[in-house]
């Protein structure tokens, strides 16, 4: 007899599981609202010292003196870490082992590369003493003129953009496409520098025990952090234990361990005591990444019927003077619209800032607000409704590669969101609608898109003697609800009710779950969990089907189905046995299975994989003051299988708020003379508060994708920002007839436009 066990590989089967698809509330919600969730900075090991960074107030030059003696004389101050006095590192923090080992400032020299860079660390018995000590350092500088802004220097072609895309991409004959156009939209837009501004600042509590290191710190990627810290301190990654159970947001800034976090580890090493280091809000504007400013020129050619003939999207971005990260802003034009010719190109300028980093839909956010605005301009130039124009130029295959989409329900997104919003009857001309108070009313549309990315992650499943299950994976929950969704997948993967499962996560001692980024965490770790669960169930099934005493004996080719803690014969559902019974009879304490989730390279080479969406927005503008209020937003998104509709809705709301924020609020203002950031605080760096956020509605459109991964998950973390920013910007145009090409759209530009 050959034994063949067929399990839950069929996604159609998984869908019948009792947990996936349920709108469960957050498993960690009660802990959070009752203050029991312990964030990194909530830890106070015995004997702990406080470290405070002294930050540079110049953007370029050298530190010529620090009054270390004054700081040390201050009561409670234990030590002051400076370039002259610090633990030795095993690796140069300026070494570039791989493109994502970004250079960090670990007091390796007296050079200042950007404002808010660490120039010393004061370590004291109390936070107050450390803060006061830092204030006594009275640094003196040799100042050089800072390079600020997109015109600060010579532009050059970056080697790659984003996570390794070519800086220039050509599809078709761009010159022929432009020549064939009867109308040309040629517009230059600018987007500002933005900072992640997660609610929780970067924080670390570090404890050394010989050459073992224990750290509590928020992380979107514990495995990467272990590797980096291991290299810097010359210890084995296995000796580094990272605890990261809760994050107050990350948005990309916690994807890689940052310089300030490493300084906390150095301070603990220097003093031989546990050390806590927490960044102040203002100190987060520099050493932990940001979204760089962009200037994007986009030329769109159309024929008489409104069909695209060419899109030429060029972006200039800034990066730091000492490292390379290039926002892939123009790449947004690769995916969305069918055009016989598409060219995207990037150039870069070095400025005196910290190195930019991935932030909330890196590339797609900056690129799509520009593309969506310019598409709106092109539609208007053709006298065509902007939704109709988008449908006319709908991409049936991925434009730049010609690959079919693994799934694409964007048409349904347009239709459902438009219907719900009430788009029909929108006047084509701007400045046609007013509300009862005389405010100008405008309606705008934006298309959302984000690639369905997967990284690599692992999980381990156990079924215990009592028939209950354990799933272990070092996954990261930044507040997005990942743990809840992953626990739902875990329960289904093991054929258990939700409450029969123990889900363990948030520690580097568990199987490495890769990085929570690129909106790929649920897909990646979900696949790992799915495979781990399958492996454990397969072992259980083997114990049962090969044992004559089991009602499942000889289930053979028909196989078994795992459900509610029991295995059932697929060919005779009434014959079943509980996990506990199977293990007890076999005399086995537990069975376990491991699984890995990763992108399927073969499927990826065959298909273009993206989530899509359509966002409609209404704004009202005061005709005299130019004040803009978003008043309504409706978004419909198709992102493959939805694991938890409640979490997904919440993620999409969040993304839509980011979009609103991009269009109307966020901007880091650099002082052109000093290179300092003038609004490095949450009072003046505007993010939307409740009063700014209009009623929102999210529609999720069913999408079954057999190609992206076994569970059909595409990810929803970042897509919400991409259509929403453009929708708001286009609504402002529709309300006022003024096309503001400098984001965020400011009251003065609108007011000036309305006066002229
Ligand atoms: Mo995201 S910018 O990949 O955390």
């Amino acid at each position: 007899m050959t034994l063949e066990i067929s399990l839950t590989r069929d996604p159609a089967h998984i869908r019948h599981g009792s947990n996936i698809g349920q709108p469960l509330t957050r498993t960690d919600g009660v802990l959070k609202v009752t203050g029991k969730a312990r964030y990194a900075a909530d830890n106070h090991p015995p004997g702990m010292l406080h470290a405070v960074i002294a930050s540079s107030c110049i953007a370029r030059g050298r530190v010529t003196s620090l009054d270390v003696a004054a700081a040390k004389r201050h009561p409670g101050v234990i030590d002051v870490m400076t370039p002259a006095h610090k633990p030795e590192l095993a690796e140069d923090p300026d070494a570039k082992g791989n493109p994502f080992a970004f250079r960090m400032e670990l007091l390796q020299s007296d050079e200042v590369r950007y404002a808010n860079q660490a120039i010393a660390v004061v370590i004291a018995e109390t936070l107050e003493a450390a803060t006061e000590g830092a204030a006594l350092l009275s640094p003196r500088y040799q100042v050089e003129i800072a390079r600020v802004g997109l015109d600060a220097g010579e532009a050059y072609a970056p080697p790659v953009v984003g996570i390794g895309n070519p800086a220039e991409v050509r599809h078709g004959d761009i010159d022929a496409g432009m020549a064939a156009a009867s109308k040309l939209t040629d517009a230059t837009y600018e987007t500002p520098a933005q900072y992640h501004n997660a609610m929780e600042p970067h924080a670390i509590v570090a404890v050394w025990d010989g050459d073992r290191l224990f750290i509590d710190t928020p992380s979107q990627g514990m495995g990467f952090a272990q590797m980096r810290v291991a290299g810097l301190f010359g210890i084995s990654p296995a000796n580094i234990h990272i605890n990261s159970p809760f994050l107050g947001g990350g948005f990309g800034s916690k994807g890689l361990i940052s310089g300030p976090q490493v300084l906390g580890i150095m301070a603990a090493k220097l003093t031989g005591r546990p050390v806590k280091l927490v960044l102040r809000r203002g100190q987060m504007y520099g050493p932990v990444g940001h979204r760089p400013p962009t200037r994007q020129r986009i030329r769109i050619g159309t024929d008489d019927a409104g069909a695209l003939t060419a899109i030429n999207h060029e972006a200039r971005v800034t990066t730091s003077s000492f490292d390379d990260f290039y926002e892939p802003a123009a790449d947004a034009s690769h995916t969305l619209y069918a055009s016989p010719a598409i060219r995207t190109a990037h150039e870069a300028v070095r400025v005196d800032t910290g190195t930019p980093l991935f932030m909330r839909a890196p590339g797609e956010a900056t690129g799509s607000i520009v593309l969506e605005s310019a598409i709106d301009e092109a539609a208007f130039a053709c006298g065509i409704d902007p939704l109709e124009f988008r449908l006319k130029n709908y991409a049936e295959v991925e434009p730049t590669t010609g690959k079919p989409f693994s799934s694409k329900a964007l048409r349904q997104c347009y239709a459902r969101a438009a219907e719900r919003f009430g788009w029909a009857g929108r006047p084509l001309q701007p400045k046609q609608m007013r509300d009862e108070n005389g405010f100008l009313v405008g309606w705008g549309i934006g298309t959302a898109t984000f690639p369905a990315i997967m990284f690599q992650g692992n999980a381990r499943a156990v079924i215990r003697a009592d028939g209950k299950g354990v799933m272990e994976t070092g996954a990261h929950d930044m507040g997005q609800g990942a743990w809840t969704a992953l626990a739902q997948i875990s329960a289904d993967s093991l054929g258990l009710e939700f409450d029969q499962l123990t889900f363990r996560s948030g520690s580097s001692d568990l199987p490495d779950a890769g990085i929570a980024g690129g909106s790929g965490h649920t897909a990646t770790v979900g696949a790992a969990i799915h495979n781990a669960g399958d492996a454990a169930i397969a072992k259980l099934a083997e114990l049962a089907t090969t044992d004559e005493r089991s009602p499942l004996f000889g289930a053979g080719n028909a196989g078994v189905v795992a459900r509610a803690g029991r295995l059932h014969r697929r060919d005779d559902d009434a014959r079943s046995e509980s996990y506990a019974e199977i293990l007890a009879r076999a005399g086995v304490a537990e069975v376990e299975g491991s699984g890995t989730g990763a992108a399927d390279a073969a499927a990826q080479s065959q298909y273009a994989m993206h989530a899509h969406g359509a966002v409609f927005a209404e704004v009202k503008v005061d005709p005299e003051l130019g004040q803009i209020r978003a008043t309504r937003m409706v978004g419909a998104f198709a992102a493959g299988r939805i694991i938890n509709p409640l979490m997904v809705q919440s993620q999409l709301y969040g993304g839509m708020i980011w979009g609103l924020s991009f269009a109307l609020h966020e901007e880091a203002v650099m002082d052109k003379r000093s290179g300092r950031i003038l609004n490095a605080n949450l009072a003046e760096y505007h993010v939307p508060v409740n009063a700014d956020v209009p009623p929102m509605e999210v529609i999720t459109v069913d999408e079954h994708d057999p190609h992206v991964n076994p569970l059909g998950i595409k990810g929803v973390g970042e897509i919400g920002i991409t259509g929403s920013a453009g929708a708001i910007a286009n609504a402002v145009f529709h309300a006022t007839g003024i096309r503001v090409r400098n984001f965020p759209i400011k009251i003065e530009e609108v007011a000036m436009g309305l006066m002229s």
Side-chain angles (χ1 to χ4, degrees):
M1 186 189 95
T2 55
L3 182 73
E4 194 176 302
I5 302 163
S6 67
L7 287 158
T8 55
R9 289 224 175 260
D10 174 12
H13 169 81
I14 274 283
R15 202 142 37 85
H16 299 302
S18 51
N19 297 288
I20 289 177
Q22 296 298 317
L24 302 184
T25 56
R26 282 173 164 73
T27 53
D28 50 355
V30 171
L31 288 177
K32 285 180 174 171
V33 298
T34 56
K36 293 203 178 87
R38 186 183 284 254
Y39 289 80
D42 295 333
N43 291 285
H44 309 274
M48 186 187 80
L49 298 171
H50 295 263
V52 164
I53 290 178
S55 298
S56 169
C57 64
I58 67 162
R60 185 185 181 194
R62 283 187 334 107
V63 178
T64 53
S65 81
L66 289 168
D67 195 346
V68 173
K72 276 192 159 167
R73 275 196 304 273
H74 191 71
V77 170
I78 298 287
D79 209 345
V80 178
M81 198 159 67
T82 65
H85 177 60
K86 62 176 198 302
E88 210 174 313
L89 294 172
E91 193 175 272
D92 178 0
D94 281 324
K96 198 80 186 163
N98 71 70
F100 298 108
F102 289 105
R103 299 189 165 107
M104 31 175 83
E105 297 68 39
L106 302 180
L107 304 173
Q108 63 266 42
S109 80
D110 58 11
E111 187 193 354
V112 174
R113 299 158 160 178
Y114 56 88
N116 290 331
Q117 178 194 312
I119 55 171
V121 177
V122 178
I123 308 155
E125 294 287 353
T126 64
L127 176 62
E128 291 76 10
T131 306
E132 288 155 4
L136 292 169
L137 285 171
S138 311
R140 300 193 67 80
Y141 303 95
Q142 181 185 309
V143 186
E144 287 179 62
I145 306 279
R147 291 156 292 188
V148 178
L150 287 154
D151 298 305
E154 197 80 13
Y156 61 97
V160 292
V161 296
I163 55 169
N165 303 350
E168 182 177 5
V169 169
R170 283 171 177 275
H171 155 73
D173 184 338
I174 195 77
D175 297 327
M178 286 297 172
S182 58
K183 290 207 171 54
L184 179 68
T185 298
D186 181 347
T188 300
Y189 285 81
E190 285 195 14
T191 67
Q194 299 174 346
Y195 284 75
H196 301 81
N197 273 306
M199 186 87 83
E200 179 203 24
H202 291 61
I204 190 162
V205 175
V207 183
W208 285 93
D209 177 11
D211 65 351
R212 297 208 323 153
L213 173 64
F214 297 83
I215 53 183
D216 286 279
T217 199
S219 172
Q220 292 176 239
M222 288 180 284
F224 286 120
Q226 268 179 317
M227 292 302 294
R228 188 73 200 269
V229 173
L232 286 166
F233 291 91
I235 57 177
S236 158
N239 282 11
I240 299 166
H241 305 273
I242 306 176
N243 234 342
S244 187
F246 302 103
L247 282 80
F251 312 140
S253 74
K254 294 167 184 165
L256 303 162
I257 196 162
S258 67
Q261 287 161 297
V262 178
L263 287 170
I265 301 171
M266 288 167 65
K269 182 139 196 166
L270 184 70
T271 55
R273 284 173 65 178
V275 165
K276 179 185 318 198
L277 188 153
V278 182
L279 286 187
R280 289 195 303 273
R281 177 64 51 183
Q283 294 178 320
M284 294 169 69
Y285 290 73
V288 298
H290 67 284
R291 195 200 296 284
T294 74
R295 179 180 300 141
Q296 302 177 51
R297 181 182 184 195
I298 183 158
R299 279 167 285 178
I300 296 178
T302 45
D303 68 15
D304 287 329
L308 293 169
T309 61
I311 300 176
N312 192 351
H313 191 165
E314 297 167 313
R316 175 182 282 204
V317 301
T318 64
T319 192
S320 69
S321 65
F322 55 92
D323 212 339
D324 300 277
F325 175 86
Y326 302 100
E327 173 90 358
D331 289 2
S333 288
H334 292 169
T335 315
L336 272 182
Y337 299 106
S339 171
I342 295 173
R343 173 177 172 266
T344 61
H346 296 83
E347 60 179 15
V349 172
R350 294 202 182 276
V351 296
D352 295 306
T353 63
T355 305
L357 194 64
F358 327 101
M359 173 172 149
R360 307 186 212 140
E364 283 79 12
T366 42
S368 76
I369 189 172
V370 169
L371 175 63
E372 287 304 291
S373 296
I375 284 285
D376 217 65
E377 293 198 50
F380 189 69
C382 295
I384 300 175
D385 171 79
L387 170 56
E388 191 188 323
F389 185 83
R390 283 169 171 82
L391 289 168
K392 194 183 271 288
N393 292 291
Y394 192 85
E396 301 291 352
V397 297
E398 185 174 53
T400 45
T401 63
K403 287 189 217 172
F405 291 100
S406 58
S407 62
K408 181 179 179 182
L410 177 56
R411 255 186 236 288
Q412 293 90 309
C413 294
Y414 283 134
R416 295 209 28 212
E419 220 248 302
R420 186 72 204 168
F421 183 84
W423 182 259
R426 171 188 179 273
L428 195 58
Q429 294 301 318
K431 222 176 165 180
Q432 299 299 302
M433 302 195 294
R434 291 203 181 231
D435 76 357
E436 63 283 4
N437 299 313
F439 289 130
L440 296 162
V441 177
W443 291 353
I445 175 181
T447 310
T449 184
F450 199 81
I453 298 170
M454 288 177 75
F455 297 97
Q456 187 160 325
N458 306 298
R460 178 174 172 266
V462 178
I463 297 169
R464 297 188 315 223
D466 61 3
K468 294 186 177 175
V470 181
M471 188 67 72
E472 297 181 328
T473 177
H476 312 83
D477 196 327
M478 302 179 262
Q480 78 273 45
W483 286 9
T484 311
L486 294 175
Q488 288 175 260
I489 298 170
S490 301
D492 278 11
S493 80
L494 288 170
L496 291 171
E497 300 298 342
F498 200 64
D499 58 5
Q500 295 177 303
L501 176 87
T502 302
F503 182 76
R504 294 205 184 114
S505 203
S507 158
S508 68
D509 295 344
L510 300 169
D512 180 12
I515 193 161
S519 302
H521 207 42
T522 310
T524 305
V525 187
I529 286 170
H530 178 68
N531 292 334
D534 268 9
I537 294 288
K539 287 187 187 162
L540 203 59
E542 187 170 346
L543 291 177
T545 58
T546 56
D547 187 335
E548 287 180 12
R549 294 166 295 173
S550 168
L552 302 173
F553 177 67
N557 293 334
V560 295
V561 176
R563 195 172 70 237
R566 302 182 73 82
L567 294 185
H568 297 253
R569 284 182 74 114
R570 201 185 277 279
D571 59 357
D572 181 1
D573 197 69
R575 289 164 75 187
S576 72
E577 194 169 33
S578 77
Y579 299 173
E581 286 165 340
I582 296 167
L583 290 170
R585 197 188 42 247
V588 173
E590 58 179 42
V591 289
E592 60 121 26
S594 292
T596 295
D600 175 346
Q604 278 190 325
S605 67
Q606 216 179 329
Y607 295 100
M609 300 174 177
H610 303 271
H612 292 93
V615 182
F616 292 82
E618 178 185 86
V619 302
K620 293 187 176 177
V621 179
D622 184 317
E624 276 138 22
L625 301 175
Q627 188 187 47
I628 305 158
R629 287 269 174 215
T631 47
R632 228 156 38 90
M633 292 177 85
V634 176
F637 299 90
R641 169 160 300 146
I642 300 305
I643 302 300
N644 181 322
L646 191 65
M647 302 292 123
V648 163
Q649 182 187 51
S650 178
Q651 284 284 83
L652 294 169
Y653 282 153
M656 287 163 73
I657 295 167
W658 290 346
L660 165 70
S661 190
F662 198 126
L664 299 181
H665 296 265
E666 278 184 78
E667 175 174 27
V669 181
M670 303 277 288
D671 182 350
K672 291 222 158 48
R673 296 159 303 171
S674 70
R676 288 167 67 166
I677 296 159
L678 296 171
N679 58 339
N681 58 73
L682 282 179
E684 295 163 296
Y685 181 94
H686 294 161
V687 293
V689 297
N690 278 347
D692 297 306
V693 177
M696 290 188 167
E697 202 172 325
V698 160
I699 299 161
T700 46
V701 172
D702 280 345
E703 197 177 58
H704 300 297
D705 193 316
H707 306 296
V708 277
N709 48 58
L711 294 170
I713 299 166
K714 285 185 176 174
V716 293
E718 290 159 287
I719 186 170
I721 192 172
T722 63
S724 306
I728 296 278
N730 293 335
V732 171
F733 169 75
H734 190 239
T736 62
I738 300 158
R739 178 65 68 178
V740 178
R741 298 191 182 87
N742 242 328
F743 298 112
I745 299 172
K746 292 190 196 70
I747 188 168
E748 54 265 34
E749 290 208 54
V750 175
M752 294 282 273
L754 285 168
M755 278 194 297
S756 61

